[in-house]
Amino acid sequence: MQKIRILVSHQKGGVGKSTIATNLAGYFSEVLKLKTCLIDFDSQSSSSNWIDTINKPERLDVSRFSNIARSGNSLNYPAIRMHLRNKVRDYEVVIADMTWSNHLNCQIIPDFDLLLVPTSLSEMDIDSLIDWMNVLKPFLAHTEAPQLILCPNKIHQFQKQFESLAAQRFPVSFLMAPPIRLSKTMEKYYEKSLVVYHPDSAIYESFMQFCKTILAGMEFKRRKHHPMNDAKMRTSSISPINANSTRVTDHLKINTSIPQFLRK
């Protein structure tokens, strides 16, 4: 199996980075039985502390890198890249939990296959997200850039779906995962357990669908870069869509099995 490198990141805290990164690591290691490393780049060490306090999956290891990653006020990009490459050599799946900052070298972006960005649907968060995407645009346009997947998180069940996105122009193309609903069950598991340990919970099935969407995004990225080697690309239900979307809600439908692209 080809190695999988996932970066879960955002510019702000409280959007669910550690929750997604930690539970996704649990999915790869416990459900798919893949040797997985969760790299915690954050100074708060939320994801690594989480794993330390539970009965972690046998195939899951945690690497704390918050101290080594910093050189003065800046993040030590060469050290980060070397650490990442060492882990990719030893593990089948590497998931990095990182709060993005202006001190971070954008050249780290191509070192990953997927960039997962948790976000709420508030106007403030969407505006902040668009500003950040403008910064990352030159790097996401690169041939070897990771597949960007937006992950609507902590979405209330009665919230109008993605109304905040309707009139926006995003500077880059992206894949959208099914929403992760606001759930007291998920909050209960924070630093106490993993969703994969509770198949009877209310959140289990929806989170499994979310994880399958991430796998679909990985498969799409591979097919996109090797279209001649995969005849399925011609019949795939996942289609590449241009970033210049003006009316998202005209075309966006939530599908719990495959992600949907924005359309022109």
Side-chain angles (χ1 to χ4, degrees):
M1 179 179 180
Q2 185 176 343
K3 303 297 180 77
I4 299 175
R5 305 164 301 170
I6 299 174
L7 173 60
V8 184
S9 188
H10 199 287
Q11 288 181 301
K12 59 179 290 187
V15 295
K17 284 189 305 80
S18 295
T19 297
I20 288 178
T22 305
N23 280 284
L24 193 59
Y27 172 78
F28 280 109
S29 57
E30 181 69 15
V31 178
L32 299 187
K33 306 299 182 184
L34 297 176
K35 191 177 181 182
T36 303
C37 182
L38 176 60
I39 307 178
D40 192 347
F41 284 105
D42 281 352
S43 57
Q44 294 183 343
S45 302
S46 297
S47 55
S48 53
N49 289 338
W50 187 333
I51 296 299
D52 285 345
T53 59
I54 67 172
N55 181 22
K56 74 177 183 67
E58 181 179 353
R59 293 176 175 82
L60 175 59
D61 291 322
V62 173
S63 173
R64 285 184 174 84
F65 200 64
S66 57
N67 294 330
I68 308 173
R70 296 191 176 276
S71 176
N73 293 326
S74 300
L75 290 174
N76 190 338
Y77 167 67
I80 291 175
R81 196 170 199 182
M82 180 62 69
H83 189 74
L84 175 63
R85 289 182 174 182
N86 288 339
K87 295 304 179 183
V88 169
R89 181 189 60 208
D90 297 333
Y91 292 87
E92 295 170 284
V93 180
V94 175
I95 300 174
D97 178 4
M98 179 186 295
T99 298
W100 196 269
S101 75
N102 294 331
H103 299 298
L104 188 59
N105 193 321
C106 290
Q107 292 179 8
I108 194 176
I109 292 291
D111 290 329
F112 293 92
D113 301 303
L114 300 177
L115 171 57
L116 309 189
V117 180
T119 181
S120 75
L121 299 182
S122 71
E123 295 290 346
M124 182 180 298
D125 282 355
I126 295 300
D127 289 343
S128 174
L129 177 61
I130 291 175
D131 289 342
W132 184 33
M133 291 300 104
N134 276 310
V135 173
L136 297 185
K137 182 178 180 180
F139 300 92
L140 292 175
H142 194 274
T143 304
E144 299 302 320
Q147 177 63 60
L148 173 63
I149 303 181
L150 296 191
C151 306
N153 191 35
K154 301 180 180 180
I155 308 303
H156 194 282
Q157 61 176 333
F158 300 114
Q159 186 171 359
K160 292 182 179 180
Q161 293 179 346
F162 310 111
E163 196 172 68
S164 302
L165 297 174
Q168 302 290 354
R169 283 183 176 270
F170 281 80
V172 294
S173 296
F174 63 88
L175 207 61
M176 181 172 285
I180 300 176
R181 299 295 181 186
L182 184 65
S183 168
K184 290 184 179 180
T185 303
M186 185 71 88
E187 294 176 359
K188 182 177 67 175
Y189 295 157
Y190 183 74
E191 292 192 347
K192 294 181 179 179
S193 189
L194 297 173
V195 174
V196 294
Y197 288 156
H198 304 276
D200 296 328
S201 69
I203 195 67
Y204 181 84
E205 287 300 326
S206 62
F207 192 77
M208 290 303 101
Q209 291 295 341
F210 170 82
C211 293
K212 291 174 183 177
T213 297
I214 303 307
L215 284 176
M218 187 68 196
E219 181 64 19
F220 177 81
K221 181 181 187 298
R222 289 172 177 168
R223 293 178 183 180
K224 182 171 65 175
H225 288 292
H226 304 283
M228 300 305 294
N229 297 331
D230 194 339
K232 293 181 181 179
M233 183 65 184
R234 293 190 293 270
T235 59
S236 172
S237 55
I238 306 175
S239 302
I241 305 299
N242 194 290
N244 299 321
S245 176
T246 56
R247 291 292 303 175
V248 178
T249 52
D250 288 345
H251 304 281
L252 181 61
K253 296 181 179 179
I254 301 306
N255 187 312
T256 57
S257 59
I258 62 171
Q260 296 289 324
F261 271 93
L262 300 181
R263 301 187 177 187
K264 260 187 176 180

